């Protein structure tokens, strides 16, 4: 005990001396506790422009990112520092230090949006740890900026945090759609929440959320009907994702829904292409007239350019399927007035 007290007195004395003493303390704080931690307080008595670089170097040293005393010291030093101290921190952070050190340092000074954003982004690639996971959960729940809330939920997903499901379930009620999308991805990752995902796939007001829910449901038996319904969604991006899901699931019974998309002359090109790929992947029987309808739309005079591009996809599909379909498609695509893209596909 006497030795410990004597050491602390000597360290406190170094806090009252000049720049050389600050340099010495900067070396000492790299040592593990108790010596390194005891040296932090006297170091803080020196100008922040000297203390901040020393604290950052200690945090970057082996084991430094796990020492709360260094983070607390950095926060206090930056709080009373000027532009020079802040500049030292920004220069260090911009030099791409190890992620663990960056995350630890930012936790010591996460005061404004830029700081918290950088920390949350860094946390995505760090292993799960209870203290950091709890902090991310608080950001996901309480941050004013939707970007921070969404990034925090994403970080918990990437870290595979144990409590990410509870955070995601709460985030499904977030006002901002991108936060809800990130929450849906956690439910997808954990294969949880069938009922909630089915509800979102059909009722959420934002296409990006409905699309994410459909993407999570296509492989789940309970989600089959919801994915089929989504093939008639009012948003083309949702219809496209639904048809892709039906294709991956090998859902041959959904063919009437897909055929309706091929027959719709006002359908968006990406939806039609997804429908053609459904036919190709599942080798759908009886799809000949549907494929030819798509081809003929692209051969009409003054056809819309995207319809011409999709017609080229239809030609390629017809040749793959073969038979009378291939013969008819070859005859149509060989016409002198056929667009160049279609002839090239043939």
């Amino acid at each position: 005990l006497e030795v410990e007290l004597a050491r602390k007195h000597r360290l406190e004395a170094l806090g009252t001396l000049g720049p050389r003493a600050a340099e010495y303390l900067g070396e000492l704080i790299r040592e593990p506790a108790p010596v390194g931690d005891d040296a932090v307080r006297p170091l803080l008595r020196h100008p922040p422009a000297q203390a901040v670089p020393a604290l950052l170097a200690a945090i970057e040293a082996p084991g430094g990112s796990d020492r709360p005393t260094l983070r607390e010291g950095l926060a206090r030093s930056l709080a009373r520092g000027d532009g020079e101290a802040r500049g030292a921190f920004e220069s260090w952070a911009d030099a791409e230090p190890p992620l663990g050190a960056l995350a630890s340092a930012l936790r010591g000074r996460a005061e404004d949006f830029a700081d918290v954003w950088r920390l949350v982004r860094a946390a995505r690639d760090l292993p799960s740890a209870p203290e950091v996971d709890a902090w991310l959960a608080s950001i996901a729940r309480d941050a004013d900026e939707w970007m921070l809330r969404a990034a925090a939920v994403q970080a918990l997903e990437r870290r595979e945090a144990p409590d990410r499901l509870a955070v995601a379930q709460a985030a499904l009620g977030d006002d901002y759609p991108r936060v809800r999308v990130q929450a849906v991805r956690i439910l997808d990752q954990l294969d949880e929440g069938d009922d909630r995902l089915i509800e979102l796939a059909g009722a959420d007001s934002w296409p990006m959320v409905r699309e994410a829910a459909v993407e999570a449901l296509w492989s789940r038996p309970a989600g089959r009907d919801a994915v089929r319904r989504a093939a008639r969604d009012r948003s083309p991006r949702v219809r496209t994702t639904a048809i892709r899901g039906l294709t991956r699931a090998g859902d041959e019974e959904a063919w009437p829904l897909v055929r309706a998309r091929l027959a719709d002359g006002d359908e968006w090109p990406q939806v039609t292409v997804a429908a053609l790929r459904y036919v190709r992947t599942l080798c759908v029987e009886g799809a000949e007239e549907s494929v030819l309808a798509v081809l003929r739309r692209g051969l009409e005079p003054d056809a819309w350019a995207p319809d011409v591009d999709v017609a080229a996809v239809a030609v390629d599909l017809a040749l793959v399927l073969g038979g009378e379909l291939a013969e008819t498609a070859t005859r149509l695509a060989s016409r002198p007035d056929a667009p160049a893209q279609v002839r090239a596909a043939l």
Side-chain angles (χ1 to χ4, degrees):
L1 180 59
E2 291 181 1
V3 172
E4 183 178 346
L5 288 174
R7 184 184 70 245
K8 288 186 176 181
H9 286 314
R10 295 190 184 99
L11 291 173
E12 293 294 336
L14 288 171
T16 64
L17 302 178
R20 291 290 297 276
E23 293 177 8
Y24 183 60
L25 287 167
E27 294 292 329
L28 282 178
I29 63 171
R30 300 191 190 193
E31 298 291 330
V35 175
D37 287 357
D38 289 344
V40 171
R41 191 171 76 168
L43 175 63
L44 297 183
R45 294 181 179 177
H46 290 274
Q50 283 184 284
V52 167
L55 287 161
L56 292 172
I59 289 173
E60 191 172 353
S65 60
D66 297 324
R67 293 170 56 192
T69 303
L70 294 177
R71 293 197 296 268
E72 294 165 5
L74 178 64
R76 290 174 56 190
S77 190
L78 285 167
R80 48 185 286 265
D82 54 12
E84 185 177 356
R86 182 182 178 90
F89 178 89
E90 297 296 341
S91 297
W92 176 84
D94 290 340
E96 298 184 356
L99 283 174
L102 178 61
S104 181
L106 283 169
R107 287 176 62 203
R109 62 139 303 173
E111 300 165 355
D112 56 27
F113 174 85
D115 295 334
V116 179
W117 173 255
R118 183 178 291 178
L119 170 54
V120 171
R121 299 282 288 178
R124 294 182 308 174
D125 300 314
L126 297 174
S128 175
E131 184 181 359
V132 179
D133 290 345
W135 178 79
L136 288 169
S138 71
I139 295 296
R141 181 182 62 251
D142 299 327
D144 292 332
E145 301 87 352
W146 71 262
M147 290 179 65
L148 291 179
R149 299 196 303 275
V153 175
Q154 182 191 50
L156 289 167
E157 175 201 356
R158 293 269 292 269
R159 295 159 63 88
E160 297 187 354
D163 61 345
R164 63 192 185 279
L165 177 58
V167 173
Q169 289 171 333
L172 289 176
D174 195 279
D175 291 337
Y176 204 85
R178 292 193 183 275
V179 181
R180 301 199 295 278
V181 167
Q182 293 298 335
V184 165
R185 288 173 180 165
I186 289 181
L187 267 62
D188 187 15
Q189 180 188 61
L190 296 175
D191 199 21
E192 294 279 352
D194 287 356
D195 292 343
R196 191 72 176 95
L197 290 172
I198 291 170
E199 179 185 354
L200 290 170
D204 196 277
S205 58
W206 283 80
M208 69 175 67
V209 181
R210 301 198 301 276
E211 179 186 20
V214 169
E215 180 67 26
L217 286 168
W218 72 264
S219 61
R220 307 186 189 196
R224 178 180 302 176
D225 289 340
V227 177
R228 290 176 178 175
R229 288 193 295 271
R232 300 189 296 266
D233 190 275
R234 58 189 179 278
S235 165
R237 64 185 292 176
V238 179
R239 296 197 296 275
T240 301
T241 298
I243 294 173
R244 288 173 180 168
L246 296 171
T247 303
R248 285 182 287 175
D251 188 354
E252 297 179 356
E253 295 180 9
W255 165 234
L257 298 169
V258 179
R259 181 173 54 202
R261 304 276 53 83
L262 292 173
D264 188 346
D266 293 325
E267 185 56 273
W268 286 69
Q270 64 265 35
V271 182
T272 306
V273 169
L276 291 172
R277 288 173 178 164
Y278 172 96
V279 172
R280 179 172 186 154
T281 302
L282 275 60
C283 296
V284 177
E285 295 183 5
E288 292 81 3
E289 286 305 316
S290 298
V291 175
L292 290 174
V294 174
L295 172 57
R296 290 189 177 100
R297 282 200 294 270
L299 298 177
E300 293 177 1
D302 300 321
W304 187 35
D307 280 344
V308 175
D309 294 335
V310 176
V313 178
V315 168
D316 180 66
L317 171 59
L319 296 179
V320 169
L321 295 179
E324 293 184 8
L325 172 61
E327 294 176 4
T328 303
T330 298
R331 184 175 67 255
L332 293 173
S334 300
R335 290 178 355 197
D337 61 341
Q341 299 99 304
V342 176
R343 294 198 305 273
L346 179 62

